[in-house]
Amino acid sequence: MSYFATALAWLFVALALMVAGFGYPATHLASPDTLVLVHVVCIGWLSVAMCGALFQFVPVLVAKPLFSEKWALPALSLLTAGLAALLVGFLGLGGRLPAWLWLLPIGAVLLIAGFGLVVVDLGLTAWLRPVGPARFVLAGLASLCATAAFGAIFAFADAGWAGSIGQSVLTTGVPLHAIAGLGGWLTLTAMGVSYRLLSMFMLSPDVDERKSNMTLAAGALAIGVAVVGGVVAIWFVSGLNVVLSITAVLGLATTALYGRDVIGIFSGRKRRQLELNTRMAALSFASLAGTALVGVVLVLTGAFAAYLGAFAFLAIFGWLSGLVLAKLYKIVAFLTWLETYGPVMGRAPTPRVQDLVSEARASKWFVIYYAAVWFGTLMLMASQPSAFRAAVAMMTVGLIGIVREVIRTRRLADVASPVRLPDGACAPHLLFARN
């Protein structure tokens, strides 16, 4: 719960910055202000939320306890401190604060330490039974290592501590850093987790392992080509066009194969009435398909570089953030139910998991969020920054509503009083869960 609360706080920071006109599209994609915004979203929001979910969910995937429960809090502390140092360094790089560029390497080291604890803890847990979705998690963790390595080189180079080689990697390697982070760490991991969550909550058979392995192979190959091929291309100063083209084709194939797997899960479900989290996850899958379609059209028309910001915005907020919010709504309810009513189950009347939430009330906030994301994407493509900021403001309204529903779930506010707290049950704490 502490990871989720921290991640949501960073998301609010990111949305507030965008509403205020900080970073892209008011400034260039490569500007220090945009770097602040990108890292708040990708590290503070998405990565922290993903780590929190994986600490809870990887043991479920492998039916084994987490390697070390004690590492979660130090990892969160290191990630928070590292991100704060990195952001201050970026603000100094852009002239908004004193140029304390030495904070960039310090932030990178702290982030590597935090992510290192996460990778070792989750990696050793998933390695106990590396089958099915756990393989996606392992591939995602490997991509996280590559992302952190590139990021550290960039941080040292920006501080002037990396020499000519570091400057060369900084000049040409940013696309590789983004692909490893968004495509490998966040997307492959989200795909693997979604396989199990969708099957669990819709009572569907697991995806055939041969099909999921094919999807994973395509995705892992795409990241491998980008990282390894990109490093080789930088070393020989040969340019990244060929590497990025191959990566794009493999990424498109991965998206198509994943779409096939998701359609199979939906069509094979036994629960015909879909819960809100699944219906909203379907909108994130639609956003992923839209991202792929927009990418193909932009590449074919030669306009990809001009509209890269809109493409990334839809991928980050429509696909990844939408899926995380949809599943977070369900995960919090499920964990709250286990924590509160698991100890008294069979000894006293208990509510259902669905009784902890009000889907009719929550659905409008998700609709507002997704509609605002899609509208914001169109406004970026139409070069309308004022309308884009209005769209982000509406995203913020939707997010406030979603977070309010999550807090109500933790407070058991929608549970009928006769079964709200039976004898032996303890009310859950808002920011951490009792094991």
Side-chain angles (χ1 to χ4, degrees):
M1 293 301 164
S2 301
Y3 273 79
F4 296 154
T6 302
L8 288 169
W10 281 116
L11 178 55
F12 276 115
V13 170
L15 294 177
L17 291 175
M18 285 189 282
V19 170
F22 186 91
Y24 182 83
T27 59
H28 191 268
L29 274 172
S31 69
D33 286 356
T34 302
L35 291 178
V36 169
L37 186 58
V38 166
H39 287 82
V40 167
V41 172
C42 292
I43 297 178
W45 157 232
L46 288 172
S47 292
V48 170
M50 187 68 75
C51 290
L54 291 176
F55 276 129
Q56 187 65 42
F57 201 64
V58 167
V60 176
L61 291 179
V62 299
K64 300 287 184 181
L66 194 64
F67 178 77
S68 175
E69 294 278 357
K70 297 180 179 180
W71 290 1
L73 182 57
L76 178 59
S77 301
L78 288 167
L79 292 176
T80 303
L83 178 56
L86 196 69
L87 297 180
V88 173
F90 285 143
L91 291 171
L93 195 64
R96 291 184 177 271
L97 289 177
W100 298 329
L101 300 186
W102 48 270
L103 282 172
L104 292 170
I106 290 177
V109 170
L110 290 171
L111 287 170
I112 287 175
F115 281 128
L117 287 177
V118 172
V119 169
V120 173
D121 202 359
L122 295 175
L124 291 177
T125 306
W127 194 257
L128 295 173
R129 193 182 171 204
V131 296
R135 292 178 179 173
F136 281 82
V137 174
L138 290 171
L141 293 175
S143 300
L144 174 58
C145 293
T147 307
F150 278 117
I153 294 172
F154 297 162
F156 276 78
D158 278 330
W161 297 1
S164 59
I165 295 178
Q167 288 296 330
S168 176
V169 174
L170 175 63
T171 302
T172 57
V174 173
L176 309 181
H177 179 56
I179 290 169
L182 291 175
W185 157 231
L186 293 170
T187 291
L188 285 183
T189 305
M191 286 178 173
V193 170
S194 68
Y195 281 134
R196 183 53 55 86
L197 286 177
L198 290 172
S199 297
M200 181 188 302
F201 295 141
M202 290 196 295
L203 302 179
S204 300
D206 288 335
V207 176
D208 183 272
E209 194 161 315
R210 290 173 299 178
K211 291 183 177 180
S212 64
N213 284 343
M214 188 183 302
T215 305
L216 175 59
L221 185 58
I223 304 305
V225 167
V227 173
V228 178
V231 169
V232 171
I234 291 173
W235 183 262
F236 288 102
V237 199
S238 58
L240 294 177
N241 288 339
V242 174
V243 170
L244 295 179
S245 297
I246 296 173
T247 300
V249 171
L250 290 171
L252 189 62
T254 304
T255 303
L257 291 170
Y258 176 64
R260 174 206 62 186
D261 296 341
V262 169
I263 291 172
I265 295 174
F266 272 83
S267 61
R269 72 184 190 274
K270 295 181 180 178
R271 176 172 285 170
R272 308 317 298 176
Q273 187 68 30
L274 295 179
E275 296 176 343
L276 177 62
N277 77 93
T278 306
R279 299 198 303 273
M280 295 303 102
L283 296 183
S284 73
F285 299 141
S287 297
L288 175 61
T291 301
L293 178 61
V294 167
V296 170
V297 171
L298 292 178
V299 168
L300 292 178
T301 57
F304 187 80
Y307 294 103
L308 176 59
F311 173 85
F313 181 82
L314 182 58
I316 290 172
F317 289 101
W319 152 235
L320 288 167
S321 297
L323 183 66
V324 170
L325 288 171
K327 292 308 174 185
L328 189 64
Y329 178 78
K330 179 67 176 182
I331 289 171
V332 170
F334 189 67
L335 294 182
T336 301
W337 186 91
L338 285 176
E339 179 186 356
T340 306
Y341 302 110
V344 299
M345 190 174 169
R347 297 190 286 113
T350 58
R352 303 170 303 156
V353 175
Q354 283 299 94
D355 295 331
L356 274 63
V357 299
S358 174
E359 292 193 349
R361 189 178 60 237
S363 60
K364 64 178 178 291
W365 302 118
F366 280 100
V367 171
I368 289 172
Y369 173 82
Y370 279 104
V373 169
W374 298 335
F375 180 69
T377 303
L378 291 175
M379 292 304 97
L380 282 176
M381 298 188 75
S383 300
Q384 298 293 325
S386 297
F388 169 73
R389 291 198 297 272
V392 176
M394 289 307 299
M395 287 171 58
T396 307
V397 171
L399 179 64
I400 290 172
I402 294 168
V403 171
R404 179 176 178 271
E405 294 301 317
V406 171
I407 292 174
R408 288 180 62 86
T409 298
R410 289 298 289 172
R411 295 300 190 197
L412 308 176
D414 291 307
V415 182
S417 56
V419 293
R420 185 170 182 268
L421 278 178
D423 290 340
C426 295
H429 192 278
L430 181 62
L431 296 181
F432 62 88
R434 303 177 183 89
N435 292 325

